[in-house]
Every structure is written in structure tokens, then in C-alpha cells.
């Protein structure tokens, strides 16, 4: 009986240990962001983020992965206040530091006068990722496997958020074709309706999308 309970407690203990280590890494990143008001500087060393992650996961046998980003994008018409300016709101897609099946995810989206800022971090343990069913994300990846869909995502992130604006772009096909691709991206979670014929990339997908694009580039 004791052996079975120990077996059940093992994954929970590893999850708690990972959470503590990722929290500590978040604290260190926050400390870097909240430093002096002087010119921004990159920490010494080419692999400063990697070294920090290795330190936090030193006791996790299979190690883990972490991606994070602080992204600033132009303002769009989807987030305007009564006077036509950006509403300056701050919100989060899901609770900050929310638990996910294979890791820990948290972030926030903040309105700014001239654009929007997205800050996101996700960490996962290697063993749990390898034990998961990868076929569950096949459709999510497949939605990115079309040149026009990738262009639509880029245009939406760049501020062209309405179907009318997208249809006016060169070499994007007919309105029917555009709506077909927008539906595919929405079904896969890369886009969502922002109302009045506008679309946006969900805050929780902005950094992952840019990470996926970076990872797909030729080495």
C-alpha cells in the first residue's frame, strides 16, 4: 500500500517542484524587468535564459522546456475606447500562473497608448510531454500549414484586423477564400472573433505563435 501511495505522490511532488522552480525563474525575470530606469541591457552571457532554466530544473531527471516573450504590437481598431483611443485596459487570457496538463502557463495583455503589449511564459517537464498524446495537437499545427493562413495571421498581428481590410490586400484570393481560412484559424484557436467583422490572435497565442514561427525557420 505504501509503495502505491508513493507512486501516486511522485508526479505531484515533481509538479510542485517544477512550479517552485518556474516561480523562482519568473521572480528573477521580473527583477530584471524592474531594474533601473536606464537604457535596457541584455544580461551578460549568450545563454543567460538557458542557464537560469537549467538551474531551476537541476533536480528534474528529464529536464524541461520554457518559452517566454514580451511582445509589443501596433494598436488595432478592435481595442478602442469611446473617444477612439486605445482603452488602456489590462487583462489576461486565463489566470496568471494557471496550471496546464503538461506545465505552467501565465501571462498578461496590456493596453498602451500606441499599441498592445503581451507578456507570456510557459514551462513544461520533458517526461510529461513525451508521455502525452501528440496527435491531439495535429489540427492546431495543420492550420499553420498554409501560406495564406500564415500571411493572414501576420496581417492581423500587424493591425489589419477586419475581414474588409484583409480582403483588400494583394494576392489573398476571393472573400470566400479568405473567410474559409479565417474559419480554419479560428477553429484551431489561432484567431478569435473580436466582433464587428474583426479578428484577433488570442493573448495566450501571440507569443506561442511567434515562437512556432521562429522554430520553423531554417537552421
Amino acid at each position: 500500500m505504501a509503495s502505491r501511495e508513493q507512486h501516486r505522490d511522485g508526479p505531484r511532488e515533481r509538479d510542485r517542484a517544477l512550479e517552485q522552480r518556474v516561480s523562482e525563474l519568473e521572480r528573477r525575470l521580473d527583477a530584471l524587468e524592474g531594474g533601473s530606469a536606464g537604457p535596457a541591457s541584455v544580461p551578460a552571457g549568450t545563454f543567460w535564459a538557458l542557464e537560469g532554466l537549467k538551474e531551476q530544473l537541476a533536480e528534474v531527471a528529464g529536464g524541461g522546456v520554457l518559452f517566454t516573450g514580451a511582445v509589443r504590437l501596433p494598436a488595432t481598431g478592435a481595442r478602442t475606447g469611446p473617444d477612439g483611443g486605445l482603452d488602456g485596459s489590462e487583462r489576461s487570457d486565463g489566470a496568471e500562473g494557471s496550471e496546464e496538463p503538461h506545465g505552467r502557463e501565465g501571462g498578461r495583455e496590456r493596453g498602451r497608448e500606441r499599441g498592445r503589449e503581451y507578456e507570456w511564459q510557459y514551462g513544461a517537464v520533458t517526461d510529461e510531454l513525451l508521455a502525452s498524446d501528440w496527435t491531439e495537437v495535429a489540427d492546431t499545427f495543420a492550420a499553420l500549414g498554409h501560406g495564406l493562413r500564415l500571411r493572414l495571421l501576420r496581417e492581423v498581428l500587424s493591425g489589419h484586423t477586419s475581414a474588409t481590410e484583409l480582403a483588400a490586400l494583394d494576392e489573398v484570393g476571393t472573400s470566400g477564400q479568405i473567410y474559409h481560412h479565417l474559419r480554419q484559424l479560428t477553429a484551431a484557436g489561432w484567431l478569435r472573433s473580436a466582433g464587428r467583422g474583426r479578428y484577433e490572435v488570442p493573448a495566450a497565442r501571440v507569443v506561442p505563435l511567434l515562437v512556432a514561427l521562429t522554430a520553423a525557420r531554417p537552421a
Side-chain angles (χ1 to χ4, degrees):
M1 177 67 72
S3 176
R4 287 197 296 270
E5 290 186 357
Q6 269 186 340
H7 178 73
R8 287 195 297 268
D9 289 342
R12 287 196 292 269
E13 290 297 330
R14 288 196 299 271
D15 289 344
R16 282 194 289 268
L18 175 63
E19 180 178 350
Q20 291 173 353
R21 293 186 179 98
V22 173
S23 295
E24 175 61 18
L25 185 57
E26 287 176 340
R27 185 189 65 77
R28 295 186 182 190
L29 290 173
D30 288 341
L32 289 173
E33 293 175 355
S36 64
S41 60
V42 176
T46 304
F47 300 108
W48 58 273
L50 175 59
E51 295 303 326
L53 178 63
K54 286 169 60 179
E55 180 181 344
Q56 297 304 313
L57 299 181
E59 298 180 9
V60 178
V65 295
L66 172 75
F67 66 80
T68 185
V71 178
R72 289 174 291 276
L73 297 174
T76 70
R79 296 278 179 211
T80 56
D83 60 353
L86 197 65
D87 63 9
S89 62
E90 179 170 334
R91 67 186 181 86
S92 175
D93 278 19
E96 289 194 24
S98 59
E99 294 293 335
E100 294 295 319
H102 308 296
R104 189 169 185 273
E105 181 177 20
R108 58 183 177 262
E109 174 193 7
R110 297 185 291 185
R112 286 290 181 265
E113 182 179 356
R114 290 177 296 177
R116 303 212 56 83
E117 295 183 0
Y118 301 84
E119 300 171 352
W120 211 260
Q121 177 170 301
Y122 184 88
V125 175
T126 306
D127 291 345
E128 294 184 0
L129 287 172
L130 293 176
S132 65
D133 182 3
W134 289 16
T135 64
E136 293 177 352
V137 297
D139 290 342
T140 304
F141 276 111
L144 299 178
H146 193 288
L148 180 52
R149 290 177 199 155
L150 289 174
R151 184 183 177 190
L152 291 174
L153 287 170
R154 185 190 68 180
E155 297 294 344
V156 170
L157 285 180
S158 299
H160 301 118
T161 61
S162 74
T164 301
E165 290 174 316
L166 296 172
L169 298 172
D170 295 333
E171 300 179 356
V172 294
T174 65
S175 296
Q177 291 172 325
I178 291 175
Y179 277 109
H180 168 75
H181 290 300
L182 290 174
R183 284 194 296 270
Q184 293 289 322
L185 291 168
T186 301
W190 294 110
L191 285 179
R192 68 180 173 196
S193 173
R196 298 184 179 181
R198 293 186 176 275
Y199 294 84
E200 65 181 4
V201 177
R205 284 295 181 92
V206 173
V207 172
L209 175 60
L210 296 178
V211 169
L213 178 66
T214 304
R217 292 181 178 276

